[in-house]
Amino acid sequence: MNNDLPRWATAFVMPMLNLLSALLVAALVIHLLGEDPLESLSILLHSAVLNPEGLSYTLFYASTFIFTGLSVSVAMQAGLFNIGSEGQMYIGGLGLTVAMLAFDHTLPAWLLIPVAMIGAALFGALWGLLPGYLQAKRGSHIVVTTIMFNFIAASLMNFVIVKYLIPPGEQNTASRVFSDAGAMPLLNTWFPSLGDTPLNISFLLAIVALVIYGVMVSRSSWGFKLRATGLNKHAAHYAGVSISKMIIIVMLISGALAGLGSVNSVMGSTHYLSLNFVGGAGFVGIAIALMGRQHPVGIFLSAVLFGALIQGGFDLSLEKPNIPTETFIFIQGLIILFCGAMENFYAPAISALLKRIKG
């Protein structure tokens, strides 16, 4: 529908219109709750962006969302709708924890942290490999299998944590606390104005991952094959691309990126593996990939937006008791609706306007 639109319209104008539409509906809901939408927006912006400590929390949440957004995006480049990042991140957290529990009292921090990150990426990749293999070799639909594997991951993690990881005599459904060597360095060490917040070098690693993703997808021969597979599998096959191999490799990468999303949450904040630590970050990654149009800049901005909604939503619900925290889950759903299911809603109007201007 929007093939005749210029790139700037599809990459910038349409996402902004979709976002504004979602915010307008959200403003209407806030008005119906008896609060002033403009005042509420002002509180949200100050809490999540203008206040240095609030911005730090926003970027902390965004660090995880960038990885899950990349996980979904790299799969979408190949025409695969991986909605299993939630489970892949969950299992990635298990891989991280296994490495931590095995080595956190023996390895120095400079070696322990990379080993734990490798464990997170490896476990996440293996969890992504299974539905990728079923799609490539058995024809199973990736959406169905990744949904199923989310539930399997949740059940498996519940069993592993309760059965094996809870220390004797403890009631909390979590592993033991890691040693100090396993903590990600905090950015407030170099930037004291950030305050006492959990923002850590995972944010910088997420930026590096965005750059690598952008270069690999748009500037490499492998990226060309990846995009060709997503655009037309039959044409890519006749051009010499092994579709089954590409699917498996992409799902390995997608799972690894989702697994790395656990690093920020577990090593950067809690310092132990807890039940349901993912908290929906994998599903937020779907919205980020859709809204960001699988572009590195778009993914970054979308991740910051969702981080701001979480951080600003906490403070806004405290200052405005009429606005419950569930409202911001509703706003996230609106963004997914407008940027996903209705992403081409404004395409005919924009196309007609551009033709009228040219004519």
Side-chain angles (χ1 to χ4, degrees):
M1 180 181 296
N2 58 357
N3 290 335
D4 58 335
L5 292 178
R7 183 173 178 82
W8 58 265
T10 58
F12 177 74
V13 176
M14 286 175 55
M16 288 303 299
L17 289 174
N18 291 330
L19 175 61
L20 288 174
S21 300
L23 294 179
L24 284 174
V25 176
L28 176 61
V29 171
I30 291 174
H31 176 71
L32 294 175
L33 291 172
E35 299 291 349
D36 183 355
L38 292 178
E39 182 186 358
S40 300
L41 177 62
S42 175
I43 294 172
L44 190 148
L45 284 175
H46 183 270
S47 172
V49 179
L50 302 179
N51 178 273
E53 186 171 333
L55 177 61
S56 179
Y57 274 104
T58 294
L59 296 180
F60 169 73
Y61 298 126
S63 302
T64 300
F65 296 155
I66 287 172
F67 279 109
T68 56
L70 284 173
S71 171
V72 178
S73 294
V74 73
M76 292 182 73
Q77 293 284 358
L80 303 172
F81 194 25
N82 174 26
I83 57 176
S85 295
E86 184 88 356
Q88 292 151 18
M89 180 177 167
Y90 215 166
I91 298 298
L94 176 62
L96 183 157
T97 302
V98 169
M100 277 291 174
L101 297 181
F103 303 114
D104 66 339
H105 290 301
T106 57
L107 294 181
W110 65 268
L111 185 58
L112 176 63
I113 291 175
V115 167
M117 291 177 63
I118 291 172
L122 180 61
F123 273 54
L126 291 175
W127 203 250
L129 169 65
L130 297 174
Y133 175 84
L134 292 173
Q135 163 94 12
K137 300 297 186 180
R138 294 292 181 264
S140 303
H141 200 289
I142 199 73
V143 172
V144 176
T145 53
T146 49
I147 288 176
M148 178 180 68
F149 272 72
N150 281 336
F151 288 102
I152 295 174
S155 300
L156 176 63
M157 290 293 287
N158 183 72
F159 169 76
V160 170
I161 292 175
V162 172
K163 181 73 175 178
Y164 298 107
L165 297 184
I166 299 178
E170 295 288 337
Q171 299 298 318
N172 187 27
T173 52
S175 70
R176 67 166 174 83
V177 178
F178 307 145
S179 71
D180 292 340
M184 297 293 281
L186 299 176
L187 292 186
N188 59 18
T189 304
W190 301 285
F191 305 100
S193 62
L194 296 176
D196 186 19
T197 63
L199 182 64
N200 56 82
I201 63 169
S202 295
F203 175 69
L204 303 181
L205 296 175
I207 300 301
V208 172
L210 281 171
V211 173
I212 294 174
Y213 165 83
V215 172
M216 289 298 296
V217 169
S218 61
R219 302 295 181 182
S220 70
S221 59
W222 181 82
F224 176 79
K225 295 176 182 178
L226 170 71
R227 289 180 284 116
T229 302
L231 291 172
N232 192 319
K233 286 184 172 61
H234 298 292
H237 172 73
Y238 283 113
V241 178
S242 173
I243 303 302
S244 60
K245 182 179 178 181
M246 179 61 74
I247 290 173
I248 291 174
I249 291 174
V250 166
M251 287 304 296
L252 278 170
I253 296 172
S254 180
L257 287 167
L260 286 172
S262 65
V263 172
N264 183 54
S265 302
V266 178
M267 292 170 61
S269 178
T270 61
H271 307 299
Y272 59 82
L273 183 72
S274 60
L275 198 63
N276 197 29
F277 75 91
V278 182
F283 296 122
V284 172
I286 299 173
I288 289 169
L290 291 171
M291 185 176 177
R293 300 299 176 103
Q294 300 94 60
H295 190 279
V297 176
I299 293 169
F300 174 79
L301 294 176
S302 301
V304 171
L305 170 65
F306 277 86
L309 285 175
I310 292 177
Q311 169 58 23
F314 287 151
D315 285 359
L316 182 58
S317 61
L318 291 175
E319 293 195 34
K320 301 288 185 181
N322 289 338
I323 304 178
T325 54
E326 290 78 11
T327 304
F328 299 94
I329 299 176
F330 171 71
I331 294 174
Q332 291 179 11
L334 286 175
I335 294 174
I336 295 173
L337 174 65
F338 279 96
C339 295
M342 299 173 63
E343 66 170 332
N344 293 316
F345 182 75
Y346 292 104
I350 296 174
S351 179
L353 178 60
L354 291 177
K355 288 179 180 178
R356 179 174 296 180
I357 292 173
K358 291 179 181 180

